[in-house]
């Protein structure tokens, strides 16, 4: 974004006449458009580019990790630096890439899908975004501080993160506070928007599933993020102000940290997957040319998953020495989540059943999601079995599990969503041929990367180590080769997206995909800066509902 | 101003009030959860 001082001066001039009547001209020019914007489409764009940048940064760290693990022995980095890489890779991907990408999609799509002019609290929306670059830079800056960055894993268990942590940890805490604040404000905005700004004739059960899943995700965020904020606040006072929340020597309890962290942490993993469920539920009906099977069961399944996600946290802690009754409870509660999850997978498959399927790029990614996410769900089920988790815990099996659900789950759904909605956003089509090459490249390499990690875990290779015994050499080498190939696929993805935005074939139709349903396809292409000045009418809302079969 | 216009304005004003109330309630719940997390552990 090249900006000159004269652009900024123009901006000041343009707004000299007062901040309130900027409603009916288009976007302002230059850098200030982005700094001061309260437009949901601009803010969505900012979130998405931020997330993409963080994805590349976190991806570079993953390349360091896979390079070090290419062979047994220490080759490239010091063990201490390796630990900083695994820690920051996890934190950046979770808080910098996946979550902001979903918020970006929410910003773009929720107002368009419910027939609203904008988000309910546009200025707060601006704040929620602009906190992120500062929080992200602060987190990354810890790498350059004396003593290095945080090296205690993305789960930052005490006392590793309190008594034995580097000085930079206080900056890490501040960054997490800011990231949490941003997420909470974003969630407040999503809830206020969906509750208050819907077209007057749109009932809750008329809402598209992406909106539903985001509404439920926002409630998860409201319940979970303050717990994370509490955890890091207690770390902060333990480190600096003489409390001993997590210090056994002072009467505190380090295991309590794990309970608090996972009370946040398990809902957090669903925060990263529920919007993905919503995306896939939008895309599959479009390319199967059938209404979504079981709309209302999808809504109830999402709500059940969200509620259950608060009562299973200790499946991450089977080895902390809890009573058998506790293990049994957390095991069965965890296994119960497969019921609503199974409902969803069943509904997606049934939507495709006997549909007139075509496999444009968004559909390819959506189908890949259904298959690969299910693999991750099954390994999760295995991990949820308490006696079995004693073997698997803290091995590469866990790493394989959560990468199947987060990379080939959450991330792939985001890629699907971008291919699905980018033509509407920009009025330009991506290159289908290149996108297909990219798809197969990524799908094959991601499986070469993560599937062997199941075998490594079953054979007992621990996670978070820079070196390993020689029996693990073959699978690690395969995994690293897949990793480098998967990493390289993002260069092609960047090229595809940038060329689509700049010079992709122009599209005229409002309904970019001929059988797509939803209010977002009723506005002009590319989506104008201001949409739905007038809320859409009942008949239109109903005819655009993707579950029209149920009306 | 026509009568319809005022109704529309009325609807928008109500919408804004609703959004603010929702935001305050939800934000308040978040704050309460934050404080609860810390204060239930304060015995240490
Ligand atoms: C289908 C239901 C699922 C079940 C039954 C399940 C079960 C589990 C269990 C028992 C563990 C702990 C393993 C251990 O540390 O020994 C675990 C770890 C993990 N799961 Fe899942 N999971 C499921 C779905 C998901 C989803 C959808 C996500 C995210 C999108 C996810 C993300 C994670 C992550 C990130 C970890 C590792 C946390 C760490 O760093 O220790 N899981 N899962
Ligand atoms: Cu969990």
């Amino acid at each position: 974004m090249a900006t000159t001082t004269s652009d900024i001066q123009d901006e000041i001039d343009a707004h000299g006449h007062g901040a309130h009547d900027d409603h009916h001209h288009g976007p302002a020019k230059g850098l200030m458009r982005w700094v001061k914007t309260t437009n949901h489409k601009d803010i969505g764009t900012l979130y998405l580019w931020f997330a993409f940048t963080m994805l590349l940064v976190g991806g570079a760290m993953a390349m360091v990790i896979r390079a070090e693990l290419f062979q047994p022995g220490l080759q490239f980095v010091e063990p201490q630096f390796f630990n900083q890489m695994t820690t920051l890779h996890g934190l950046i991907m979770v808080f910098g890439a996946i979550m902001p990408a979903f918020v970006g999609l929410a910003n773009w799509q929720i107002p368009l899908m419910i027939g609203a002019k904008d988000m309910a609290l546009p200025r707060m929306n601006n704040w929620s975004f602009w906190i992120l670059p500062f929080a992200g830079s602060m987190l990354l800056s810890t790498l350059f501080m004396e003593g290095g960055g945080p090296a205690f894993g993305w789960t930052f268990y005490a006392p590793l993160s309190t008594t034995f942590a580097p000085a930079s940890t206080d900056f890490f805490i501040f960054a997490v506070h800011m990231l949490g604040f941003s997420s909470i404000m974003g969630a407040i905005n999503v809830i206020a928007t969906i509750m208050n700004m819907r077209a007057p004739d749109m009932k809750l059960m008329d809402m598209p599933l992406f909106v539903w899943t985001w509404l439920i995700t926002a409630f998860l965020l409201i319940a979970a993020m303050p717990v994370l904020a509490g955890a890091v606040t207690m770390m902060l006072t333990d480190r600096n102000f003489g409390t001993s929340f997590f210090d056994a020597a002072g009467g505190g309890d380090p295991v309590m940290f794990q309970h608090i962290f996972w009370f946040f942490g398990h809902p957090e993993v669903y925060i990263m997957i529920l919007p993905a469920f919503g995306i896939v539920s939008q895309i599959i009906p479009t390319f199967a040319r059938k209404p979504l099977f079981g709309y209302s069961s999808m809504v109830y399944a999402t709500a059940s998953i969200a509620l259950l996600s608060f009562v299973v946290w200790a499946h991450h802690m089977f080895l902390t020495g809890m009573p058998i009754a506790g293990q049994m409870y957390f095991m069965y509660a965890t296994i119960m989540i497969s019921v609503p999850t199974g409902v969803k997978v069943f509904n997606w498959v049934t939507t495709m059943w006997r549909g007139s399927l075509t496999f444009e790029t968004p559909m390819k990614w959506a189908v890949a999601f259904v298959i690969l996410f299910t693999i991750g769900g099954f390994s999760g089920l295995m991990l949820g079995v308490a006696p079995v988790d004693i073997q698997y815990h803290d091995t590469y099996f866990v790493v394989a599990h959560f990468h199947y659900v987060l990379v080939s789950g959450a991330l792939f759904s985001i890629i699907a969503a971008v291919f699905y909605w980018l033509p509407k956003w920009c009025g330009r089509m991506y290159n289908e041929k290149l996108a297909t090459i990219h798809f197969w490249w990524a799908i094959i390499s991601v499986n070469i990367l993560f599937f062997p990690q199941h075998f490594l875990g079953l054979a007992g290779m621990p996670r978070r180590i820079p070196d390993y015994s020689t029996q693990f050499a073959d699978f690690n080498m395969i995994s690293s080769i897949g990793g480098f190939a998967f990493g390289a696929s993002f260069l092609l993805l960047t090229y595809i997206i940038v060329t689509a935005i700049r010079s992709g074939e122009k599209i005229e139709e409002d309904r970019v995909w001929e059988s797509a349903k939803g209010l977002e396809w009723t506005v002009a292409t590319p989506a104008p800066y201001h949409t739905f000045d007038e809320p859409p009418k009942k008949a239109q809302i109903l005819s655009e509902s993707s579950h029209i079969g149920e009306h | 101003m026509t009568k319809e216009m005022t109704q529309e304005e009325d609807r928008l004003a109500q919408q804004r009030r609703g959004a603010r109330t929702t935001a305050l309630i939800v934000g308040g719940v978040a704050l309460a959860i934050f404080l609860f997390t810390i204060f239930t552990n304060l015995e240490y």
Side-chain angles (χ1 to χ4, degrees):
Chain A
M1 242 185 299
T3 311
T4 61
T5 35
S6 79
D7 283 339
I8 296 170
Q9 193 52 51
D10 289 347
E11 173 65 18
I12 294 167
D13 294 346
H15 283 269
H17 54 265
H20 280 295
D21 61 357
D22 60 357
H23 212 76
H24 280 282
H25 52 76
K29 297 248 167 1
L31 180 63
M32 280 300 148
R33 162 181 177 183
W34 301 101
V35 174
K36 299 203 303 192
T37 185
T38 53
N39 178 286
H40 72 101
K41 301 183 181 85
D42 278 355
I43 294 174
T45 303
L46 286 170
Y47 264 109
L48 287 168
W49 279 118
F50 175 79
F52 194 68
T53 312
M54 285 294 127
L55 184 76
L56 298 181
V57 172
M61 293 173 178
M63 294 299 102
V64 174
I65 294 169
R66 280 324 312 175
E68 182 54 58
L69 294 175
F70 188 71
Q71 284 181 355
L74 292 177
Q75 278 87 31
F76 296 103
V77 294
E78 297 292 312
Q80 185 63 15
F81 186 72
F82 182 91
N83 290 346
Q84 294 171 38
M85 287 293 103
T86 54
T87 303
L88 283 168
H89 164 75
L91 290 168
I92 295 278
M93 289 307 201
V94 167
F95 294 107
I98 302 289
M99 290 171 71
F102 280 133
V103 181
L105 293 170
N107 260 291
W108 256 104
Q109 289 307 125
I110 288 176
L112 284 178
M113 294 171 106
I114 62 175
K117 271 207 297 218
D118 206 307
M119 298 292 278
L121 306 147
R123 275 173 237 187
M124 193 167 85
N125 206 8
N126 174 295
W127 266 74
S128 316
F129 173 75
W130 278 108
I131 288 176
L132 286 182
F134 295 97
S137 324
M138 182 167 302
L139 190 55
L140 285 174
S141 71
T142 57
L143 280 177
F144 306 100
M145 293 179 187
E146 217 173 298
F152 32 65
W154 84 281
T155 51
F156 50 99
Y157 284 2
L160 262 186
S161 61
T162 49
T163 319
F164 304 104
S168 64
T169 303
D170 295 324
F171 289 89
F172 153 84
I173 291 173
F174 192 33
V176 172
H177 269 137
M178 288 203 285
L179 292 163
F181 212 67
S182 160
S183 283
I184 289 171
M185 290 198 294
I188 291 175
N189 222 334
V190 167
I191 294 172
T193 304
I194 298 175
M195 293 310 209
N196 298 287
M197 308 291 283
R198 282 195 326 274
D201 286 328
M202 180 180 264
K203 295 205 211 64
L204 282 175
M205 288 310 262
D206 294 330
M207 297 195 313
L209 263 160
F210 181 68
V211 179
W212 255 119
T213 52
W214 238 115
L215 178 63
I216 294 169
T217 301
F219 281 112
L220 284 183
L221 279 165
I222 292 297
M225 295 309 286
V227 178
L228 173 70
V232 290
T233 306
M234 288 184 272
M235 269 170 66
L236 186 77
T237 60
D238 270 11
R239 286 169 52 79
N240 299 294
F241 304 111
T243 59
S244 21
F245 286 107
F246 306 129
D247 183 4
D253 182 1
V255 175
M256 193 65 201
F257 177 90
Q258 296 188 28
H259 281 292
I260 296 170
F261 180 85
W262 287 114
F263 188 82
F264 147 79
H266 189 82
E268 166 68 17
V269 306
Y270 281 98
I271 287 164
M272 295 188 284
I273 206 68
L274 294 186
F277 290 167
I279 290 165
V280 170
S281 306
Q282 300 296 138
I283 293 177
I284 288 181
T286 296
F287 297 98
R289 292 163 182 76
K290 274 175 64 191
L292 182 70
F293 184 87
Y295 169 88
S296 45
S297 70
M298 282 297 207
V299 173
Y300 297 131
T302 311
S304 320
I305 292 174
L307 288 177
L308 285 173
S309 78
F310 281 104
V311 295
V312 299
W313 76 90
H315 64 213
H316 295 272
M317 303 169 57
F318 283 136
L319 276 87
T320 51
M322 73 177 89
I324 291 286
Q327 295 190 28
M328 295 279 280
Y329 162 74
F330 281 108
M331 172 169 97
Y332 283 116
T334 300
I335 293 172
M336 238 161 72
I337 299 195
S338 5
V339 177
T341 313
V343 168
K344 286 181 163 288
V345 175
F346 178 84
N347 286 347
W348 291 322
V349 173
T350 312
T351 304
M352 287 188 271
W353 182 255
R354 298 198 167 164
S356 314
L357 296 167
T358 52
F359 294 93
E360 285 87 343
T361 304
M363 183 63 163
K364 288 194 190 77
W365 289 97
V367 174
F369 172 96
V370 174
I371 296 169
L372 298 177
F373 171 78
T374 304
I375 294 179
F378 276 123
S379 57
L381 209 53
M382 292 167 72
L383 290 167
V385 179
V388 170
D389 187 60
I390 294 168
Q391 322 294 319
Y392 299 160
H393 180 63
D394 267 346
T395 70
Y396 256 80
F397 193 84
V398 179
V399 179
H401 158 65
F402 68 72
H403 283 93
Y404 266 88
V405 283
L406 284 172
V407 177
S408 53
L411 179 61
F412 280 15
S413 81
I414 293 164
I415 297 176
V418 169
F419 279 115
Y420 186 54
W421 282 311
L422 187 77
K424 169 54 78 183
W425 300 338
C426 305
R428 288 178 185 276
M429 190 45 96
Y430 57 85
N431 181 328
E432 187 75 46
K433 210 171 183 172
L434 277 184
T436 303
I437 294 172
H438 168 255
F439 171 80
W440 287 110
W441 179 355
I443 289 293
I444 293 169
S445 58
V446 84
N447 281 291
I448 298 175
L449 166 58
F450 293 125
F451 209 80
Q453 296 183 359
H454 290 114
F455 306 133
L456 286 169
L458 293 179
M461 178 173 156
R463 62 191 284 206
R464 294 171 170 154
I465 44 135
D467 189 14
Y468 47 82
S469 66
T470 47
Q471 75 214 23
F472 304 125
D474 295 347
F475 281 131
N476 268 299
M477 190 175 284
I478 296 170
S479 178
S480 285
I481 290 169
F484 301 141
F486 186 60
S489 77
F490 285 88
L491 302 178
L492 180 56
L493 180 65
T494 311
Y495 176 80
I496 294 170
I497 289 178
V498 172
T499 48
I501 294 170
R502 294 172 66 124
S503 56
E505 192 193 325
K506 281 214 162 92
I507 312 168
E508 307 292 331
E509 304 85 46
D510 292 351
R511 205 172 295 275
V512 174
W513 312 104
E514 101 269 350
S515 38
K517 295 258 183 162
L519 292 171
E520 77 263 40
W521 307 108
T522 64
V523 305
T525 304
Y529 199 57
H530 296 290
T531 34
F532 293 117
D533 275 339
E534 295 282 316
K537 293 277 175 301
K538 181 111 193 155
Q540 195 177 27
I541 291 169
L542 291 185
S543 76
E544 291 301 337
S545 127
S546 66
H547 50 286
I548 188 97
E550 294 201 357
H551 277 282
Chain B
M1 290 265 156
T2 62
K3 183 155 179 284
E4 219 176 340
M5 195 55 197
T6 16
Q7 267 177 356
E8 176 62 8
E9 277 173 358
D10 201 45
R11 190 180 71 80
L12 290 179
Q14 221 171 351
Q15 213 176 43
R16 262 197 306 277
R17 271 198 305 276
R20 255 176 238 157
T21 314
T22 312
L24 280 175
I25 294 172
V26 176
V29 170
L31 185 61
I33 296 174
F34 171 70
L35 295 174
F36 182 83
T37 306
I38 294 180
F39 283 97
T40 48
N41 286 286
L42 209 55
E43 68 211 79
Y44 308 123

